[in-house]
Amino acid sequence: MENICKHIWSQGWLDLTLTGSMWYINHYLGLTKNKENAVFIDMGVVVGLSLITRDIILNGISSLKSSFPTLICVSIGGIIAGIVGGCIQKNKKTGES
């Protein structure tokens, strides 16, 4: 169990470092600009789909079934974040705080 915890801890820091630095460069510094009426796909969606695909390839379709609770929670979190982000953006445009 100790080895698993160490692996998760070290892998988590690696993921945080890579994803965080790419988010900073792309979104905060504005390296890539999103067109006004274009579809925007976040890096997190791509990473999540690639990990789900990897698990299906390695462990079969049954591994997808065990991922549903996590997918539901992530979807709810994304919806809430989208609503909050939209409200913040709307308030910025109208000058409210």
Side-chain angles (χ1 to χ4, degrees):
M1 183 68 177
E2 185 176 326
N3 288 337
I4 293 172
C5 292
K6 284 181 182 178
H7 176 71
I8 291 171
W9 178 255
S10 64
Q11 188 66 34
W13 278 108
L14 178 64
D15 293 343
L16 179 65
T17 303
L18 292 174
T19 305
S21 60
M22 292 310 299
W23 182 92
Y24 178 77
I25 291 169
N26 288 331
H27 297 293
Y28 188 76
L29 295 180
L31 180 67
T32 56
K33 301 292 181 191
N34 298 315
K35 295 180 182 175
E36 188 68 28
N37 294 324
V39 174
F40 176 74
I41 299 175
D42 193 18
M43 294 177 292
V45 173
V46 176
V47 170
L49 288 175
S50 67
L51 291 174
I52 288 171
T53 304
R54 181 202 63 161
D55 283 346
I56 290 172
I57 291 170
L58 293 177
N59 304 320
I61 197 74
S62 63
S63 64
L64 183 63
K65 182 180 166 186
S66 65
S67 300
F68 277 125
T70 303
L71 293 173
I72 290 170
C73 290
V74 168
S75 298
I76 291 170
I79 291 168
I80 292 170
I83 291 169
V84 170
C87 291
I88 291 171
Q89 197 170 36
K90 182 179 176 183
N91 287 339
K92 275 185 173 180
K93 286 182 181 178
T94 60
E96 298 174 14
S97 56

